[in-house]
Amino acid sequence: MSRFCVYLGSREGRDPQFLEAARRLGAELARRGHGLVYGGARVGLMGELADAVMAAGGEAIGVMPDHLVEREQAHHGLTELVRVRNMHDRKASMAAHADAFIVLPGGIGTLEEFFEAWTWHYLGLHDKPIGVLDTAGFYAPLLAFLDSTVEHGFLNGRTRAELVDATDPAELLDALETRLASAG
């Protein structure tokens, strides 16, 4: 079993496709026998994803700093809720539990976590695959910007190519599983 660390919003967003994609990804992770590692909230896309994993009989591990347990409304129905001291410990714990990373729609916290995990990969601190689920074109502008950074000489094309993106949860998991298999 591989565990997928998923970064995503503690809000639902305005487009119902975001909720649906989180549910589909959760069900697909569990169907394929993969575990979930995420931020531990019971609300927003985070809660929907965890609930979908659990409803399909999968493993869901949440990681949350003590100071966010009330604010982000910790999900106490998970396989495991890991409480940590701060955000740095949260990100380190999530990464340590994971074999791969996926990014769904979210705000500045999601983007910060995603870019840190990708930077760690670039620096050789891990070799875990990273994927972006571009639901309803949410990440299309960001992906175009990243392509632009390659064109302008600020990002290596190989580094950009290491980032997998897809619009469908199953397609994204297929690509990430292929990368996991070739790395192992």
Side-chain angles (χ1 to χ4, degrees):
M1 170 183 77
S2 293
R3 287 185 178 146
F4 286 76
C5 175
V6 181
Y7 302 127
L8 71 170
S10 61
R11 296 180 183 190
E12 294 180 4
R14 291 194 175 112
D15 191 328
Q17 292 180 75
F18 301 148
L19 283 171
E20 182 56 30
R23 291 178 189 128
R24 286 179 49 218
L25 177 63
E28 192 66 18
L29 283 169
R31 186 185 74 73
R32 295 179 186 216
H34 298 307
L36 167 68
V37 178
Y38 83 113
R42 66 176 168 84
V43 295
L45 297 182
M46 293 172 95
E48 291 294 325
L49 174 66
D51 287 345
V53 168
M54 299 295 289
E59 172 193 68
I61 298 171
V63 182
M64 188 174 284
D66 291 323
H67 76 278
L68 289 180
V69 168
E70 292 304 317
R71 179 178 175 180
E72 286 193 352
Q73 302 177 30
H75 196 311
H76 296 287
L78 303 172
T79 308
E80 181 180 1
L81 178 64
V82 178
R83 291 179 68 155
V84 294
R85 291 179 303 153
N86 55 49
M87 293 300 285
H88 295 292
D89 290 347
R90 179 192 217 180
K91 292 181 290 185
S93 179
M94 289 169 71
H97 280 91
D99 300 299
F101 300 91
I102 296 176
V103 183
L104 270 64
I108 59 173
T110 301
L111 291 171
E112 189 271 336
E113 291 168 327
F114 158 57
F115 278 110
E116 183 167 86
W118 194 21
T119 300
W120 289 351
H121 186 276
Y122 171 74
L123 295 174
L125 300 176
H126 72 77
D127 63 352
K128 301 170 184 180
I130 304 172
V132 175
L133 186 59
D134 186 24
T135 303
F138 182 82
Y139 282 116
L142 177 63
L143 295 169
F145 169 74
L146 294 173
D147 292 338
S148 174
T149 63
V150 173
E151 293 169 20
H152 289 283
F154 289 101
L155 180 65
N156 182 299
R158 187 175 60 245
T159 301
R160 170 61 180 95
E162 290 171 351
L163 184 65
V164 177
D165 61 270
T167 58
D168 177 72
E171 180 185 333
L172 183 62
L173 285 175
D174 288 344
L176 292 171
E177 287 172 336
T178 298
R179 293 205 177 180
L180 280 168
S182 67

